[in-house]
Amino acid sequence: MHELGITRSIVEIAERHAREQGAVRVISLTVQIGALSGVIAEAVEFAFEVCAQDSLLEGARLIIDAVPGRGRCRACGAESAMDRFTYACPHCDALALDCIQGEELRILELEVD
Amino acid sequence: MCIDCGCGPTDHHHHHHDHSHDHDHSHAQGKRTLRIEEDILAKNNRLAGNNRALFGAKGLFVLNLVSSPGSGKTSILERTLRDLAGNIAFAVLEGDQQTDQDAARIAATGVPVHQINTGAGCHLDAHMVGHGIEHFDLDALDILMIENVGNLVCPAAFDLGEDHKVAVLSVTEGEDKPIKYPNMFHAADLLLINKIDLLPYLDFDLDKCKAFARQVKPDIEILEVSCKSGAGMEGWYAWLAQGVSRKKT
């Protein structure tokens, strides 16, 4: 359940930015979570309400931007979906997929007041 | 109080962060959108970077041992520390939710050890390691072993500043662990398949296990060992010696 610590970091980072901008509250925040990041979006959603208590994020809406995984094969160059760690290319079977998308774990933006 | 992370009794918060400062500081009120694009693990990664720089400056080879509970990480360490005593100077950071039982086992080998209890935490992070190493004389060491909390999920996400994650998988666990917990085996550079002395009594398919591991990490190195019988341990010791000499040069 490392999502609890991850969610605490989300609140800490968002609150710091909001304070720096003189905001009194955060209305919503958008968080990007890649399919290969090792973080479960539902667990972050579950933890968010508790972690946001007594911060500028209390009551804020959490918007999760789920990023699907994509890989590119070093052998044949084809791109394919990669929603779990498997390095077998579905086009040529080589164990040569490079992950090009899906490891994201970022706060994108805050809507503040 | 530590100057890197800002923790301590005064809880003074340093504002290290990497984003550009081109945003508006006018403190104008009203509804607005702030585009921040900050990595959620940035703080851990920054502290891990500090650890890595320190380890690099000291020429210290650092391993992060990860596995499920009961795979034999502590037993592998005990045998390794005893067998290599006198040749390689070790220290061990022990991570567990509670108790210092593993630290007591390591201390019995004569190697410096420090226990980190994570409480409810399911993994070590770079901050804990940064403070844990304050208990050692890093100049006197060749290898720092960090035994992570037994957990095949969470430790995969946290860089501690180590040179390599070493995954331990015992043959009593089933050969499909690498594809069931892919993030962890993807993050590891070396896989130790432990307890191979038990293979005659089990249905564990060694070849299948290796194929599964390579499916999630094509270039993972794999060594078969038994810390009980000693089988295969010389390969692990050679791998350690190579790592030490690489870091010293």
Side-chain angles (χ1 to χ4, degrees), chain B residues 36-122:
Chain B
I36 62 176
E37 301 207 22
E38 186 164 323
D39 190 332
I40 293 163
L41 291 175
K43 185 175 173 188
N44 182 75
N45 293 343
R46 179 174 56 75
L47 295 173
N50 292 350
N51 292 345
R52 185 168 283 115
L54 179 62
F55 299 148
K58 304 284 182 190
L60 188 57
F61 188 48
V62 181
L63 301 177
N64 178 3
L65 274 71
V66 292
S67 80
S68 48
S71 65
K73 288 190 301 301
T74 313
S75 299
I76 287 175
L77 278 178
E78 285 178 301
R79 177 149 195 155
T80 302
L81 302 176
R82 290 207 164 96
D83 285 354
L84 299 183
N87 297 323
I88 294 179
F90 288 94
V92 179
L93 274 181
E94 277 292 339
D96 276 305
Q97 288 200 318
Q98 293 188 20
T99 83
D100 60 357
Q101 304 216 20
D102 285 356
R105 284 169 60 183
I106 298 300
T109 69
V111 164
V113 57
H114 177 71
Q115 178 80 44
I116 300 172
N117 285 131
T118 57
C122 46

Side-chain angles (χ1 to χ4, degrees), chain A residues 73-88:
Chain A
C73 180
R74 259 176 282 155
C76 75
E79 281 192 21
S80 53
M82 191 180 177
D83 281 337
R84 55 198 180 91
F85 279 110
T86 173
Y87 289 82

Side-chain angles (χ1 to χ4, degrees), chain B residues 136-147:
Chain B
F136 304 127
D137 174 10
L138 300 184
D139 291 313
L141 300 178
D142 301 312
I143 297 183
L144 172 67
M145 295 283 201
I146 305 169
E147 184 177 346

Side-chain angles (χ1 to χ4, degrees), chain A residues 9 15 17 20 31-32 39 51 60 63 65 67 78 94 97-98 108:
Chain A
S9 296
E15 185 163 48
H17 282 277
E20 280 176 5
V31 174
Q32 204 171 37
V39 171
C51 292
I63 302 162
D65 174 15
V67 185
L97 278 191
D98 283 326
L108 286 188

Side-chain angles (χ1 to χ4, degrees), chain B residues 152-163:
Chain B
L152 275 179
V153 183
C154 309
F158 292 84
D159 183 8
L160 306 180
E162 72 274 8
D163 290 291

Side-chain angles (χ1 to χ4, degrees), chain A residues 1-2 6 12 16-17 20-22 27 36 38 85-87 105-113, chain B residues 15 17 19 23-24 27 29 31-40 43 154 183 186 215-216:
Chain A
M1 189 48 189
H2 58 303
I6 299 272
E12 189 182 312
R16 169 163 50 76
H17 282 277
E20 280 176 5
Q21 294 295 305
I27 301 160
L36 300 171
F85 279 110
T86 173
Y87 289 82
L105 192 56
R106 286 190 299 176
I107 302 183
L108 286 188
E109 62 181 35
L110 308 176
E111 193 187 358
V112 300
D113 210 351
Chain B
H15 288 278
H17 45 95
H19 70 100
H23 51 220
D24 176 23
H27 293 208
Q29 296 303 305
K31 219 189 248 194
R32 60 217 186 269
T33 298
L34 311 178
R35 190 89 192 153
I36 62 176
E37 301 207 22
E38 186 164 323
D39 190 332
I40 293 163
K43 185 175 173 188
C154 309
N183 287 63
H186 174 69
Q215 213 177 91
V216 299

